[in-house]
Amino acid sequence: MSEVPGDAVERAQVLRQTLEQHNHAYYVLDAPIVSDAEYDQLIGELEAIESQYPALRTPDSPTQRVGGTAIAAFEPVRHAVPMLSLGNAFEDEQVLAFDQRVAQTLRGAGQLNGPEVAYFCELKLDGLAISLRYERGVLVQAATRGDGQTGEDVTHNVRTIGSIPRRLAAHAPQTLEVRGEVFMGQADFEALNQAQAQRGEKVFVNPRNAAAGSLRQLDPKVTATRPLRFFAYGWGQCSEPLAPTHDQVLDWLSCLGLPVNQAEHALVQGAQGLLAYYREVQARRSSLGYDIDGVVYKVNDLAAQKTLGFVAKAPRFALAHKFAAELAQTKLLGIDLQVGRTGAITPVARLAPVFVGGVTVTNATLHNEDEIARKDVRIGDTVVVRRAGDVIPEVVEPVLALRGSETKAFQMVSQCPVCASAIERPPGEAVARCTGGLFCAAQRKQSLIHAASRNALDIEGLGDKLIEQLVDKARVQSLADIYGLTAQELAGYERMGSKSAQNLANAIAAKREPPLERFIYALGIRHVGQSTARDLARSFKTIEQLMAANQEQLLAVPDVGPVVASSILRFFEQSHNREVIEGLLAAGVKPQAPELGRGQSDFAGLTFVLTGTLPNWTREQAAQAIMAAGGKVSGSVSKKTSYVVAGEDAGSKLARAQSLGVAVIDEAGLQRLLGAPE
DNA sequence: GGGCCTCGAGATCA
DNA sequence: CTCGAGGCCC
């Protein structure tokens, strides 16, 4: 390092600063200060200095934008604060309902000053969500959304995106996670496709997929040639206190050098303000120059956002108002029947390929036989197909005017198309089910596919084609058998060479100690989804205790009612289900009890009661913190109470908690649960 | 559900 | 070299 002359160090620093300014002017402000040639000359000079003195080549240097070396794989990244999804609305009524719910909650909490709620409005860009992590102002990591908790490291590619600063302004906080959307403009997309076609390479079907594909390149040099853009719309972890409102925080992000789509933002009052914004954006949608699939509304006041809290995976303070789905007409070629994990028989429409909503649709669900009858859809009909952004394509109705004489009405079968068991449809229910249970190969396969899936045990490399083979060859009957598979025997299956087999064997071994909630969810108990599985894991701590639970204990779990409870009891009553679990435990699978402390701040499904005087917090502050983490605060202790937080001079509530056997913690205990500050 | 990228199996060719 | 499978994005 000492060999680098001081003037080179200085010159490199000046060049870097100048280049970052030009980048900002060009990409963020869309107002270049210098010509491309001048820019190239500057970057060339910096490049020369850096190659002469490699010690000066820092990862945040503008020269590194063109792309470093290819990586071997996308590493998982755990988000410090989860990346949530948003609730959706398609109709005005849903927006009115959202506003009413918000207003009511805030009025109840005394946080509504004035007659209407103040909302922040923005465009919902059609790209992919990204989280950028800055430490001491330097971009250190970029990750995709993933399942919201854990995404993939795409730092190498994100560094090549011009509008994403590699270094923030000097007053940047110690740590800052910025959330935003990576996307591609329509003109850039067209130009890219033209260039791709000229080179004889594949053209992309729409800007979103082009952007997504560009970010999933192993070699950042490819990404560097793709015209990707970025707008910040939110944040995760931040080491400094934030301004009190959403718009102010975004202004601050903008001052730090991040691109924020301020020209399209609006602050409005109440539901009518939201709808007016929606209409105004809708009218200008085609002239924006980039794809959007709707608009997003957020309660502007951050304290109010905290009060509103979260449901499952989405904040209650925000709503995505999506544009109406696109429609198209095509021919219904046939109706296939699919047998699901629970035996549900779903009719699926096979369609003549048709381009709608940015993709080519060939399949669409028809839900159930009543829906087919209600819509009077017949095989051979010309039908209207609907598809909106991320919504699964749907057959809306037949075009009766175009109905020929060759149409055929759909007839539900009476036997399972896979195992020939009787099909039952309980009165009052819409779905017909195969009664074969795990005797039915389709149900066995589907339950295994479910168990291996990303939200359940997340066994990479165990896809549906392989499961199909394993079940057909009778090698695998139940989940427990999966853990007995060796690399050696796996290598004997179709499309499984020694490499794939070893990878899968490793993936299976790596999931031998799954979190209990994933284990429970993987079992595929009817009515037990991810969030119920989590509640059950928290309440019972071990699979043995869950299996031994009676109706009363199950009903004491938050959000578990009679239907869910009896479904769980019925599941564990069946000996083959118990055998599967025993087999799993015998195979060395050890579900891990949930850890509530240690930095985890997800209280969904937990109810707290505060009593007595806490040493450092007012009751109000403690309640705020609990609700911000997704928990509920209640006034009285019952069996459903998860924790009683007791301070000094706690009275009858503490006594009642003790008599009911409810866990009692003090303020320090609560802070541990909330995840003590890092 | 559809589109994208990557990995690796398996075919093909030299 | 091609292409199917799997994983990930919306």
Side-chain angles (χ1 to χ4, degrees):
Chain A
M1 193 59 94
S2 55
E3 297 158 31
V4 183
D7 57 341
V9 176
E10 221 168 276
R11 181 62 186 156
Q13 205 173 352
V14 171
L15 283 169
R16 246 170 238 163
Q17 236 168 33
T18 316
L19 285 163
E20 280 296 348
Q21 272 170 20
H22 291 333
N23 279 339
H24 186 79
Y26 181 87
Y27 290 108
V28 180
L29 307 177
D30 205 16
I33 315 168
V34 293
S35 69
D36 287 359
E38 285 171 275
Y39 181 90
D40 287 345
Q41 192 258 316
L42 291 172
I43 203 140
E45 187 186 344
L46 181 58
E47 188 76 66
I49 296 176
E50 284 179 350
S51 64
Q52 196 180 350
Y53 308 107
L56 293 179
R57 200 188 293 274
T58 60
D60 65 326
S61 168
T63 60
Q64 299 301 300
R65 270 206 205 291
V66 286
T69 48
I71 54 154
F74 298 100
E75 295 296 321
V77 175
R78 194 168 175 89
H79 303 300
V81 175
M83 289 179 83
L84 304 165
S85 45
L86 291 178
N88 280 332
F90 281 93
E91 307 293 334
D92 289 2
E93 288 73 49
Q94 296 169 293
V95 176
L96 298 180
F98 165 76
D99 172 57
Q100 253 169 30
R101 209 166 49 237
V102 167
Q104 200 174 1
T105 308
L106 294 184
R107 202 168 288 127
Q111 282 181 291
L112 185 56
N113 355 305
E116 304 215 86
V117 181
Y119 291 103
F120 179 84
C121 302
E122 66 193 4
L123 306 182
K124 187 170 186 349
L125 296 165
D126 195 11
L128 29 348
I130 285 287
S131 182
L132 307 173
R133 190 174 173 83
Y134 288 90
E135 282 173 10
R136 289 181 210 86
V138 176
L139 175 66
V140 292
Q141 193 164 62
T144 61
R145 184 178 180 287
D147 63 6
Q149 305 286 331
T150 307
E152 283 184 326
D153 190 327
V154 288
T155 316
H156 65 297
N157 286 332
V158 166
R159 280 201 220 277
T160 70
I161 300 176
S163 57
I164 295 181
R166 308 156 71 83
R167 184 181 280 278
L168 299 177
H171 52 283
Q174 187 74 16
T175 60
L176 173 64
E177 267 182 11
V178 179
R179 269 70 194 272
E181 197 88 352
V182 169
F183 65 102
M184 197 179 284
Q186 287 152 352
D188 287 335
F189 165 73
E190 298 296 342
L192 171 65
N193 263 356
Q194 219 160 28
Q196 290 283 107
Q198 261 171 22
R199 283 194 299 265
E201 286 175 41
K202 65 165 304 148
V203 295
F204 298 95
V205 68
N206 59 44
R208 200 200 74 74
N209 286 326
S214 301
L215 263 202
R216 290 197 60 72
Q217 297 285 338
L218 289 181
D219 185 355
K221 290 196 178 71
V222 179
T223 312
T225 67
R226 303 282 170 79
L228 296 175
R229 296 172 62 189
F230 174 81
F231 274 131
Y233 56 67
W235 58 90
Q237 198 183 37
C238 179
S239 59
E240 276 177 23
L242 296 166
T245 62
H246 193 87
D247 66 311
Q248 288 169 9
V249 179
L250 288 192
D251 285 347
W252 173 66
L253 291 181
S254 174
C255 289
L256 289 175
L258 290 153
V260 176
N261 199 4
Q262 276 160 324
E264 300 294 345
H265 291 169
L267 282 171
V268 305
Q269 300 287 318
Q272 290 314 313
L274 297 178
L275 295 177
Y277 177 80
Y278 178 83
R279 306 233 154 82
E280 191 269 327
V281 169
Q282 199 169 29
R284 289 187 304 111
R285 183 181 181 186
S286 59
S287 54
L288 289 170
Y290 44 82
D291 287 355
I292 59 173
D293 53 0
V295 297
V296 176
Y297 311 134
K298 291 172 184 159
V299 172
N300 195 37
D301 186 84
L302 299 193
Q305 288 189 2
K306 263 196 175 178
T307 301
L308 288 155
F310 300 86
V311 283
K313 280 183 176 168
R316 272 191 290 244
F317 55 79
L319 183 74
H321 190 177
K322 301 232 180 140
F323 293 131
E326 254 186 64
L327 302 176
Q329 291 188 3
T330 188
K331 205 77 155 177
L332 177 61
L333 303 175
I335 296 177
D336 289 355
L337 294 177
Q338 276 179 357
V339 184
R341 170 163 63 88
T342 60
I345 310 274
T346 310
V348 177
R350 302 293 170 210
L351 304 164
V354 59
F355 195 74
V356 50
V359 297
T360 305
V361 171
T362 48
N363 302 300
T365 178
L366 285 162
H367 299 112
N368 56 61
E369 64 175 311
D370 282 1
E371 278 289 296
I372 299 174
R374 192 179 60 76
K375 291 171 180 168
D376 183 29
V377 175
R378 301 186 199 171
I379 298 164
D381 266 336
T382 298
V383 292
V384 175
V385 176
R386 165 164 60 195
R387 184 184 186 275
D390 47 359
V391 181
I392 291 167
E394 193 189 11
V395 172
V396 183
E397 60 187 9
V399 186
L400 292 178
L402 295 179
R403 174 172 285 172
S405 53
E406 294 291 285
T407 63
K408 209 172 87 194
F410 169 74
Q411 182 75 49
M412 182 52 102
V413 292
S414 60
Q415 291 190 327
C416 172
V418 175
C419 73
S421 297
I423 284 178
E424 246 174 33
R425 192 176 148 194
E429 277 194 33
V431 283
R433 282 175 203 282
C434 159
T435 55
L438 291 183
F439 167 75
C440 177
Q443 292 191 47
R444 278 207 306 281
K445 287 172 190 168
Q446 291 300 321
S447 63
L448 287 168
I449 290 168
H450 165 77
S453 69
R454 184 149 78 130
N455 291 327
L457 294 175
D458 191 21
I459 301 174
E460 262 185 55
L462 187 56
D464 43 9
K465 297 291 176 186
L466 183 59
I467 288 174
E468 183 126 327
Q469 291 183 62
L470 291 166
V471 171
D472 287 346
K473 295 230 171 77
R475 172 58 185 90
V476 165
Q477 300 291 349
S478 79
L479 187 51
D481 299 333
I482 296 288
Y483 286 88
L485 293 169
T486 62
Q488 206 176 13
E489 70 159 307
L490 279 168
Y493 288 86
E494 271 171 52
R495 299 208 61 81
M496 288 295 285
S498 58
K499 181 76 177 166
S500 304
Q502 190 56 54
N503 288 347
L504 176 54
N506 294 347
I508 293 169
K511 297 298 156 74
R512 238 174 243 282
E513 300 191 351
L516 179 59
E517 56 184 87
R518 283 176 175 267
F519 184 88
I520 294 171
Y521 178 63
L523 295 176
I525 305 170
R526 262 187 86 189
H527 301 117
V528 177
Q530 268 179 282
S531 110
T532 308
R534 185 163 60 228
D535 291 343
L536 291 169
R538 282 181 180 165
S539 298
F540 292 100
K541 306 284 194 292
T542 68
I543 187 66
E544 289 84 358
Q545 295 206 51
L546 174 61
M547 289 169 78
N550 60 30
Q551 164 124 15
E552 197 187 350
Q553 290 167 310
L554 288 169
L555 287 172
V557 176
D559 296 327
V560 171
V563 175
V564 180
S566 79
S567 171
I568 296 168
L569 288 172
R570 256 184 294 134
F571 182 89
F572 289 123
E573 267 164 22
Q574 304 192 304
S575 57
H576 56 264
N577 289 331
R578 303 187 81 98
E579 280 160 22
V580 169
I581 295 168
E582 280 152 20
L584 282 164
L585 298 178
V589 178
K590 290 192 182 65
Q592 300 295 301
E595 302 169 37
L596 270 182
R598 292 196 223 156
Q600 198 176 335
S601 64
D602 185 358
F603 281 12
L606 295 183
T607 307
F608 291 76
V609 173
L610 302 167
T611 179
T613 313
L614 301 177
N616 299 311
W617 272 349
T618 66
R619 289 255 203 120
E620 184 56 30
Q621 284 171 324
Q624 287 278 331
I626 290 166
M627 288 190 291
K632 285 182 216 151
V633 177
S634 155
S636 60
V637 183
S638 74
K639 264 188 301 189
K640 294 211 177 199
T641 307
S642 318
Y643 293 96
V644 169
V645 184
E648 236 175 288
D649 300 323
S652 64
K653 287 182 192 170
L654 177 56
R656 183 162 161 76
Q658 283 159 344
S659 72
L660 287 172
V662 171
V664 178
I665 55 175
D666 58 6
E667 186 191 280
L670 174 62
Q671 284 182 340
R672 267 198 300 280
L673 287 184
L674 284 162
E678 292 165 52

